[in-house]
């Protein structure tokens, strides 16, 4: 018995499906001494023995069930697989005596876990007599394809990536579809290939949690430049919004949208700016300032404010870039240069699934540097860093407005002399002066006119306007504002099992991308909840 | 004179917010410095806990940080020395006790945190309290937020914790443990909200009192037993009042609050308590925007048993809904 002995990992279990062999009657009719053999004739498949019953066949996905493997004493992840010997066409493999004995003792048993490795996979159960002549056989009808044939795909990138495919998927599991549509949009720093992996995982996880909605995988250009270019990609998010809205809005039927991280900027803007109508919107680890949804979290306190750059300590809040908008009233476009209340229209449909353990959104108790967290964990405090580095002209930051200081020299030369030499000087400047000569860096020029186009406003927000709140992805807004759910405290499996131990760097926190990176075995509650709350079943 | 100098030193810090790390501190925050922590594990009576497992990780400028795992000695002590560049986390466990976990940040803006290349105070004691498992009992627990739709606003509707449902005719509940009345007003801006949620009790000796959860990091965050001599209020109202910009009042339960309830009381002929059930509502009691009741509760079905320590391996309401703390 050869084939693929490598055991599946917990991450692979999604690709296995249970098959129950109803063989008790046949085993009673042909006891062991009859010499009759029970075997598979198959190709492109591998199997794991289990002692599960048909009623608990799906248990392996969510619980440790040490009833797998040839001796039925191993967990599914880790139990060796078996398959016919490799060769042309289908080959045979006999079912083990131990497995058949299980079935004979309990007809509800006889569950195998099966994985396909070829689109030409086939499976036939044969009962043969001692002379090798067939007594009976039954074929399992299989329709096998790559997972990407099971859902639609929309590519919002300007170039590269898998081509958009919005016709009926070649192998969609739509036999009992509920007619609904669920869309998923990934976050920042996800390239075209990784986007395919993201969507494949999200589709599989939703499906195993019972979703019967048609799945639409999407990708956008949120990976321009390097991993330090968050702000530029936040601007990209705004730029792609109309295109996203056109695609999603053009689909008929009920629409439920899921977005991860910076993908939420796209979706939130689509709902707010383009009137995209969705029935439900799940914000997953949203990398959008919390003040966009609830301005009560906007923090302009001068003390104890970890979103205030420490070089601005002592400067009155009226001198900050983030509050400059208060000096103006509509229709002056500068009145809109704020993240506050940027996306209020999202509230009636949004579900904020955040994580109190999210390392990207964690706020340090003082001013971080670019290396806070260490060179192997630059992602730690990333939200705080990217907001505090706006205007500073350093890696991970921008040269726009933000927490940079206005210099006497033109921006193109940026000499070192600050216009207002210290906080006292800045605080004593009349308001009218600050309108024309703000304390913060006067760049880009488009920011300093009373007519700022909306596209420019979005770019300014992304690159030059620091948020004064944490990310929505770590914020509990409260039940009266939005439906919240903390994945870190509520989303893990029962009994405290987790794929990361207390001794590891991030201990047992639910991290920013754990909804994908952690095996479904650990995060299934999240997907169950999305399916349930979203009405996807 | 010394006080004057101290004032001068403090004033710049207070006037200008959190101070910046010094060069030495910044170096330690980037590359790490030696930290020494003395873990002292005790029980609630201040008695040392021997052979408690203390494990965790000191954050460091490496992929894996600096993990550690050791047992306490007969004095309940173990000493951990590691390089650390930011914070460390810990979890303490022992059979028969609830786990306690926590995190400590080494850099402190209130004093110079590095001396001679070592985090200060070097050898500081981190006292960790382990709480015993006393007598956990199987309870009716709604942990993943029982979410019954509120049948109506601005009227009292009974809720049965044994069935996690409204009482008939609104639901399948039979006995009201408490009544809920909810009123919400929304202004022209959808964030101009005033809501009041009232929990009320009709039996004479039924009622509720409010507590703060234990913040020591123990998994056991509430009292073990309801106080049978406490004053149980017959009504308790939670108010949320805000404008679009500001929250004026918010007295709803936070994750750090819980309620202790006495319900289903019966009295003898002299007005003395004869029968009662006890329960707790932990961290969540609210109405969602879809008008669903969001509540996390533990109901002890044993009469006259004030025990609030839940057996986390059993749920009489839903055997599959586990994973809740005691």
């Amino acid at each position: 018995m050869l084939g693929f002995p490598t055991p599946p990992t917990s991450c692979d279990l999604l690709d296995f499906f249970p098959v129950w062999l109803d063989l008790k009657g046949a085993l009673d009719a042909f006891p062991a001494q009859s010499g009759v053999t029970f075997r598979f004739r198959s190709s492109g498949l591998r199997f794991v023995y289990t002692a599960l019953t048909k009623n608990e066949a799906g248990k392996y996905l969510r619980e440790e069930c040490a009833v797998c493997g040839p001796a039925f004493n191993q967990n599914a992840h880790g139990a060796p697989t078996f398959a016919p010997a490799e060769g042309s066409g289908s080959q045979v493999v006999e079912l083990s005596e131990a497995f058949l004995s299980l079935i004979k003792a309990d007809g509800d048993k006889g569950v195998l876990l099966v994985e396909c490795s070829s689109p030409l996979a086939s499976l036939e159960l044969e009962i043969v007599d001692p002379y090798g002549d067939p007594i009976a056989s039954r074929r399992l009808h299989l329709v096998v394809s790559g997972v990407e044939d099971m859902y639609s795909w929309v590519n919002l990138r300007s170039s590269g990536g898998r081509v958009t495919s919005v016709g009926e998927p070649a192998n969609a599991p739509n036999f009992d579809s509920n007619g609904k549509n669920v869309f998923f949009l990934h976050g920042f720093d996800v390239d075209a290939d990784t986007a395919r992996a993201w969507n494949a995982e999200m589709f599989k996880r939703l499906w195993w949690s019972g979703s019967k909605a048609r799945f639409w995988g999407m990708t956008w250009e949120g990976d321009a430049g390097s991993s330090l270019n968050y702000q530029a990609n936040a601007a990209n998010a705004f730029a792609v919004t109309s295109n996203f809205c056109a695609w999603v809005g053009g689909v008929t039927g009920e629409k439920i949208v899921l977005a991860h991280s910076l993908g939420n900027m796209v979706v939130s803007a689509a709902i707010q700016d383009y009137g995209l109508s969705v029935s439900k919107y799940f914000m997953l680890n949203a990398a959008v300032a919390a003040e966009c949804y609830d301005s009560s979290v906007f923090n302009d306190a001068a003390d104890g404010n970890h979103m205030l750059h420490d070089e601005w300590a002592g400067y009155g809040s009226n001198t900050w870039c983030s509050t400059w908008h208060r000096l103006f009233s509509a229709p002056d476009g500068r009145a809109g240069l704020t993240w506050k209340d940027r996306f209020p229209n999202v509230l009636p449909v949004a579900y904020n699934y955040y994580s109190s353990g999210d390392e990207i959104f964690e706020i340090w108790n003082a001013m971080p540097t670019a290396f806070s967290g260490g060179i192997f964990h630059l992602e730690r405090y990333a939200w705080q860093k990217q907001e505090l580095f706006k205007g500073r002209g350093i890696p991970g930051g921008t040269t726009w407005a933000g927490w940079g200081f206005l210099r006497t020299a033109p921006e193109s030369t940026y000499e070192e002399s600050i216009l207002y030499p210290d906080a006292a000087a800045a605080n004593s400047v009349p308001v009218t002066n600050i309108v024309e000569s703000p304390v913060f860096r006067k760049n880009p020029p488009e920011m300093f006119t009373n007519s700022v186009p909306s596209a420019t406003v979005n770019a300014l927000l992304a690159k030059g306007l620091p948020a004064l709140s944490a990310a929505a992805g770590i914020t509990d807004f409260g039940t009266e504002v939005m439906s919240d759910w903390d994945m870190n405290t509520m989303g893990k499996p029962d009994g405290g099992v987790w794929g990361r131990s207390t001794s590891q760097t991030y201990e047992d926190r639910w991290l920013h991308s754990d909804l994908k990176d952690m095996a479904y075995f650990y995060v299934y509650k999240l997907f169950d909840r999305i399916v349930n709350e979203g009405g996807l079943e | 004179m010394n006080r004057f100098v101290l004032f001068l030193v403090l004033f710049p810090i207070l006037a200008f917010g959190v101070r910046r790390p010094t060069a030495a501190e910044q170096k330690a925050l980037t590359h790490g410095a030696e930290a020494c922590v003395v873990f002292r594990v005790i029980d609630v009576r201040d008695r040392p806990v021997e052979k408690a497992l203390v494990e965790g990780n000191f954050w460091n400028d490496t992929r894996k940080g600096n993990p550690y795992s050791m047992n306490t000695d007969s004095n309940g002590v173990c000493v951990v020395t590691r390089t650390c560049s930011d914070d460390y986390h810990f979890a303490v466990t022992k059979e028969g006790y609830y786990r306690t976990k926590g995190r400590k940040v080494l850099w402190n803006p209130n004093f110079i945190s590095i001396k001679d290349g070592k985090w200060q105070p070097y050898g500081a004691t981190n006292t960790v309290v382990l709480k015993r498992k006393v007598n956990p009992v199987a309870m009716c627990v709604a942990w993943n937020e029982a979410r019954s739709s509120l049948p109506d606003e601005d009227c009292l509707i009974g809720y049965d914790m044994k069935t996690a449902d409204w009482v008939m005719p609104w639901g399948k509940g039979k006995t009201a443990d408490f009544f809920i009345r909810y009123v919400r007003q929304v202004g022209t801006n959808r964030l101009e909200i005033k809501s009041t949620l009232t929990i009320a009790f009709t039996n004479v000796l039924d009622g509720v009192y409010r507590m703060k959860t234990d913040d020591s990091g123990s998994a056991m965050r509430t009292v073990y037993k309801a106080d049978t001599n406490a004053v149980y209020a017959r009504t308790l109202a939670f108010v949320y009042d805000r404008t679009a910009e500001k929250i004026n009042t918010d007295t709803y339960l936070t994750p750090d609050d819980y309620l202790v309830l006495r319900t289903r009381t019966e009295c003898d002929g002299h007005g003395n308590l004869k029968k009662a059930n006890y329960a707790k509502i932990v961290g969540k009691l609210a109405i969602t925007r879809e008008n669903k009741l969001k509540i996390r509760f533990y109901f002890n079905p044993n009469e006259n048993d004030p025990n609030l320590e839940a057996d986390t391996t059993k749920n009489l309401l839903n055997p599959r809904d586990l994973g809740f703390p005691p």
Side-chain angles (χ1 to χ4, degrees), chain B residues 181-202:
Chain B
R181 178 166 69 202
Y182 179 71
V183 178
R184 182 200 279 140
Q185 295 161 315
V186 181
T188 49
N189 185 306
R190 61 171 62 91
L191 287 182
E192 288 171 5
I193 300 170
K194 180 158 184 187
S195 78
T196 306
L197 188 153
T198 305
I199 183 171
F201 302 81
T202 51

Side-chain angles (χ1 to χ4, degrees), chain B residues 110-311:
Chain B
N110 296 319
F111 56 83
I112 302 300
S113 307
I114 283 284
K115 184 181 170 192
D116 300 329
K118 296 181 180 179
W119 287 107
Q120 303 298 316
Y122 190 82
T125 299
N126 181 354
T127 301
V128 178
V129 178
L130 274 191
K131 292 186 171 181
R132 274 192 186 278
K133 292 180 182 175
V134 176
N135 181 26
V137 297
M139 297 196 188
C140 301
V141 182
W143 178 245
N144 277 300
E145 299 159 13
R147 299 170 67 97
S148 313
S149 290
L150 184 68
D152 205 352
E153 283 197 22
D154 204 13
C155 60
L156 287 169
I157 302 179
Y159 189 85
D160 180 350
M161 285 194 277
K162 248 184 159 175
T163 56
D165 202 357
W166 307 105
V167 297
M168 292 187 273
W170 298 284
K172 295 176 188 153
K174 297 194 174 90
T175 306
D177 287 295
F178 54 81
F179 291 79
I180 290 280
R181 178 166 69 202
Y182 179 71
V183 178
R184 182 200 279 140
Q185 295 161 315
V186 181
T188 49
N189 185 306
R190 61 171 62 91
L191 287 182
E192 288 171 5
I193 300 170
K194 180 158 184 187
S195 78
T196 306
L197 188 153
T198 305
I199 183 171
F201 302 81
T202 51
N203 290 352
V204 170
L205 293 180
D206 284 12
V208 64
Y209 63 88
R210 183 170 182 160
M211 298 279 285
K212 278 287 181 196
T213 57
D214 179 313
D215 62 359
S216 68
S218 173
M220 184 64 189
R221 301 187 72 210
T222 70
V223 292
Y224 285 82
K225 291 189 175 181
D227 183 352
T228 55
N229 292 320
V231 174
Y232 287 79
R234 297 276 299 280
T235 66
L236 195 58
F238 306 97
V239 176
Y240 183 80
D241 180 9
R242 64 167 294 164
T243 63
E245 299 262 327
K246 187 178 159 212
I247 297 174
N248 296 317
T249 307
D250 182 3
T251 60
Y252 277 75
L253 293 185
T254 72
D256 297 329
D257 296 318
Y258 68 102
L259 305 176
V260 176
L261 293 84
R262 182 167 67 196
T263 75
R264 306 183 187 222
T265 58
E266 285 181 24
C267 301
D268 63 18
H270 302 287
N272 299 316
L273 186 64
K274 196 170 74 170
K275 276 202 298 188
N277 283 92
Y278 294 88
K280 58 186 179 183
I281 296 173
V282 183
K284 189 64 73 175
L285 176 64
I287 304 293
T288 70
R289 64 161 183 240
E290 294 105 341
N291 270 0
K292 293 197 177 191
L293 174 66
K294 216 171 172 186
I295 183 172
R296 287 189 203 139
F297 67 79
Y298 301 67
F299 177 81
N300 184 343
N302 305 307
E303 271 178 17
N304 296 328
D305 182 8
N307 193 343
L308 295 178
E309 184 187 2
D311 180 349

Side-chain angles (χ1 to χ4, degrees), chain A residues 294 310 347 351 381 480, chain B residues 20 57 86 195 242 289-290:
Chain A
D294 180 1
D310 65 351
L347 296 181
Y351 294 77
Y381 315 120
E480 295 283 0
Chain B
R20 273 192 164 182
N57 195 301
D86 194 340
S195 78
R242 64 167 294 164
R289 64 161 183 240
E290 294 105 341

Side-chain angles (χ1 to χ4, degrees), chain A residues 40 123-127 136-140:
Chain A
F40 277 152
L123 178 61
E124 189 169 359
L125 174 67
E126 294 181 339
I127 304 175
S137 69
R138 178 62 64 91
R139 177 178 282 269
L140 179 66

